[in-house]
Each structure stands twice: as structure tokens, then as C-alpha cells.
Amino acid sequence: MKKGILLLTIVLLNAIHLNAEIIITKSNRGLFGYKHIVEQQAEGQHRLDCSDPGRMRCKSSLGTIVVSSENGDLQPFELTETQFDAIDLYVENQLLSLNESGNFVYDNLCFVKFYYDPTSDFLEIRIYSIQEAQLLNLI
Amino acid sequence: MMIKFGLAGLIVFNCLTAFSYTIITKDNGGWFGFRTVTESHSGPNHQLACADPGRMKCEFGTAFGGITQGGEVINLQSFEPIENMILDLLAIENSILAGEFYFESDFFIKYSYDLNADRLTIEIYTLHEASCLGFI
């Protein structure tokens, strides 16, 4: 019973918590990029899913990405194309240095977590606003 | 007449006995490299097949001395500039995904890339081999 209440509390807290994050996934990359790029925007979250060998770069078609939390309790999180490229390049360099996971604060603007599975060639990058990273006790 | 046939026969024989190739395939690699790297040497023929995401580098082992062109040996490091040239050619938007070129006037290179399968194939021939095979 106690476990059930605890679980319910966690679920409710998660539901109440309002994200402001950017999630990027890259899977089965080819030598020159990707075939499929799916971009989804929602309040609190922006997703970019890139997959399979092709010639497209895994980047947002919007240029600047703006993420607002669902009820506006967090400041809107904004990431320009240049900032996105710099984060992407940093993560790629980490992978080339054989670091398959890690995190870092980028330019006092956001907190970045990444994870790569070499077996499935799957990379996930999560970018949080500093405010959200603090709320989530990530920093 | 006999001399001509003899000469032609000698050339054909020479081509048959000298025929060799080096083929490298890179198939569906990952950020860190490849899961399987298979190397085979059979007389003058060398093959390197690298496949699937993993952690191994796609390169010949130390047992491989290289391929020769008139006594000169193309060493293992020399494959990297060949591959870089191919990647530069393929990186051009809408480029044809197969081609051929001379490398340092000593070798003839054929390459092809299957975009959907992410499979790069590099064939390296000495000029003599390329000539015997009718490539040049």
C-alpha cells in the first residue's frame, strides 16, 4: 500500500513537473548523414529524431529552437542554430574520443547529457535549460 | 606469326599469374568503429571487411605488408589518404556514388558507396592489374 502511494506520488510529481528540454536522437547514421529527420514540437519539449543512412544533417529546420514549459512556470528556453551546432560538435568530438556518455554545461546557458550505445549505433542528447537542470538536481 | 602468338600468350599468362586485388568494404559502421573486422590474404589478394557498429578500427593487421607496385610497397597508412579522397568525392551533394581514379600515379582505385546500406567498397589495383583487368 505504502509502495503504491509512493509510486502514485512520483507519477503525480512527474506529471506536475513541467519540462523545458530538447531531445535529440541519432540512430544508424551513414557516412554522410541521415535519411529520416522527424521534428516534433510540444509545450515543454522539442524532439529531433534522425535515423538511417542518407545525406541530411541532423538539425532543426527552424533555426532557433524555443521551448516553453507547459504552464509557463519556467523561463522559455531558447537555443540558436549556432549554439545547437556547437553542442552537437562537442558531443561528436566526445564520441570520437571514445567517451560514450557524459554531461556538461554549455556556455552557462544549458545543461547537456548524452549517451551513446555503440552496439545499436544510437545516440541520445538531452539539453535542459539551466533552470530545469537545477530543478531536477542535475547540477 | 608464331612470335606474335607467343608474345600474346606471354602477356595473357603474365596477367593471369599476376592478377591480384585489394578490396576493403566498410558496411554500416558506428561512431566508434566496427563490430567485426575480417581480414583475409590469399597470395597477392587481400581483403578487409568491416561491418556493423562497434569499437574496432577498420584496418589491416600488422601481418599485412602492403601491396606492391614495381617493387614499391603501399603501406597501411597509405589507405587513409585514399579513403579521404573518396570521402571528399562522395561528400559532394548529388555526386555519383561510384568512380575511379589514379592514386599517386602508381595505383588505380575503384570505389562505390551504397547510400541505403551505408556500404563503402574500395578496390585498389596496381597499374599492371588494372591494365590486365581492362580497367585502364
Side-chain angles (χ1 to χ4, degrees):
Chain A
M1 183 64 176
K2 279 183 180 174
K3 277 184 181 174
I5 292 169
L6 184 65
L7 193 65
L8 187 66
T9 310
I10 290 168
V11 169
L12 283 174
L13 280 173
N14 273 333
I16 292 165
H17 174 68
L18 303 155
N19 293 329
E21 65 183 356
I22 298 165
I23 300 171
I24 302 140
T25 65
K26 300 181 178 187
S27 60
N28 192 25
R29 173 179 172 268
L31 281 176
F32 303 103
Y34 298 89
K35 186 194 283 185
H36 307 293
I37 296 183
V38 179
E39 189 162 22
Q40 292 176 298
Q41 293 178 81
E43 284 189 336
Q45 197 179 81
H46 191 104
R47 278 194 77 97
L48 191 62
D49 297 299
C50 308
S51 60
D52 298 331
R55 282 198 172 272
M56 288 190 285
R57 272 196 65 195
C58 186
K59 61 187 290 185
S60 171
S61 61
L62 303 172
T64 298
I65 299 170
V66 182
V67 187
S68 304
S69 59
E70 285 173 33
N71 70 354
D73 67 334
L74 296 177
Q75 290 167 5
F77 172 36
E78 195 172 308
L79 199 67
T80 67
E81 189 173 345
T82 308
Q83 290 163 336
F84 179 91
D85 286 347
I87 290 167
D88 197 41
L89 183 65
Y90 184 85
V91 172
E92 287 192 7
N93 284 333
Q94 290 296 303
L95 295 180
L96 293 173
S97 304
L98 304 182
N99 294 322
E100 61 186 47
S101 65
N103 57 65
F104 58 94
V105 172
Y106 171 73
D107 205 20
N108 271 334
L109 173 79
C110 56
F111 178 77
V112 182
K113 273 179 79 170
F114 67 91
Y115 160 73
Y116 177 68
D117 179 354
T119 309
S120 58
D121 191 26
F122 177 83
L123 170 67
E124 183 183 81
I125 305 171
R126 285 179 178 260
I127 306 173
Y128 304 89
S129 67
I130 292 289
Q131 195 183 6
E132 181 175 20
Q134 286 167 340
L135 280 172
L136 294 171
N137 287 323
L138 296 172
I139 49 176
Chain B
M1 187 67 173
M2 286 288 280
I3 293 170
K4 276 187 180 173
F5 274 123
L7 195 62
L10 195 65
I11 290 168
V12 169
F13 180 74
N14 190 27
C15 278
L16 285 174
T17 53
F19 173 72
S20 66
Y21 55 81
T22 299
I23 298 176
I24 299 158
T25 56
K26 290 187 161 193
D27 192 357
N28 187 33
W31 285 102
F32 292 166
F34 295 87
R35 190 185 306 164
T36 59
V37 176
T38 310
E39 184 175 349
S40 66
H41 304 280
S42 174
N45 304 328
H46 311 284
Q47 287 197 71
L48 182 67
C50 308
D52 300 325
R55 290 189 166 277
M56 286 189 285
K57 283 186 80 173
C58 186
E59 61 183 17
F60 283 108
T62 50
F64 179 54
I67 57 176
T68 58
Q69 168 76 19
E72 289 178 28
V73 176
I74 180 167
N75 62 27
L76 301 178
Q77 285 72 37
S78 299
F79 291 115
E80 197 175 321
I82 292 172
E83 188 180 345
N84 287 341
M85 284 175 76
I86 292 168
L87 292 179
D88 286 346
L89 290 166
L90 290 171
I92 299 165
E93 198 72 30
N94 299 322
S95 64
I96 297 166
L97 297 177
E100 50 196 45
F101 59 89
Y102 290 94
F103 179 73
E104 291 182 352
S105 307
D106 289 327
F107 297 94
F108 183 73
I109 315 295
K110 283 168 73 85
Y111 66 90
S112 63
Y113 180 62
D114 182 334
L115 193 64
N116 289 322
D118 188 29
R119 181 184 300 118
L120 175 67
T121 304
I122 304 170
E123 299 172 34
I124 304 171
Y125 301 93
T126 63
L127 295 187
H128 177 71
E129 292 158 7
S131 173
C132 285
L133 291 166
F135 296 147
I136 53 177

